[in-house]
Amino acid sequence: MSKNHLHTAHPDVVKRLKRAHGHLKNVIAMIEDERACIDIAQQLHAVERAIGAAKKLVIHDHLDYCLEEVAGAGPAAMRSSLAEFKDITKYL
């Protein structure tokens, strides 16, 4: 496996991070404009959600492309454990 391999989810991760970047720029502008704390908190929540979604994509992509490559050749119990692990990561 190449270190520079572009996983299929990477373009979506970049899109989500750019969205988070835009939200963060809005937060900075809101603070500088002395906007209401509730509005700032709501925008910060959007930043957290966008970054969290990007993180989950990276983790699931890693599981799909890196760990399944190794588990695919392993016994059924290993593949089953990997599938269970992938299921539980949705709670990250």
Side-chain angles (χ1 to χ4, degrees):
M1 177 171 43
S2 170
K3 209 177 203 183
N4 296 325
H5 177 73
L6 180 67
H7 296 261
T8 57
H10 284 184
D12 196 30
V13 171
V14 169
K15 181 175 68 174
R16 290 171 187 269
L17 290 174
K18 285 181 178 181
R19 185 177 303 133
H21 181 259
H23 287 307
L24 193 54
K25 284 173 45 176
N26 287 339
V27 170
I28 293 167
M30 292 169 76
I31 291 170
E32 290 173 345
D33 294 341
E34 298 181 3
R35 295 272 303 270
C37 291
I38 188 76
D39 296 335
I40 295 168
Q42 182 180 18
Q43 199 68 21
L44 282 170
H45 181 69
V47 172
E48 288 178 328
R49 289 182 51 92
I51 291 173
K55 178 181 75 170
K56 286 179 187 179
L57 270 176
V58 168
I59 291 168
H60 287 166
D61 197 55
H62 177 73
L63 291 171
D64 289 340
Y65 287 94
C66 301
L67 296 183
E68 277 192 5
E69 184 177 306
V70 173
M78 181 189 295
R79 290 190 308 275
S80 176
S81 293
L82 181 58
E84 287 180 20
F85 182 70
K86 284 172 63 175
D87 284 342
I88 201 167
T89 61
K90 67 184 172 189
Y91 301 110
L92 289 175

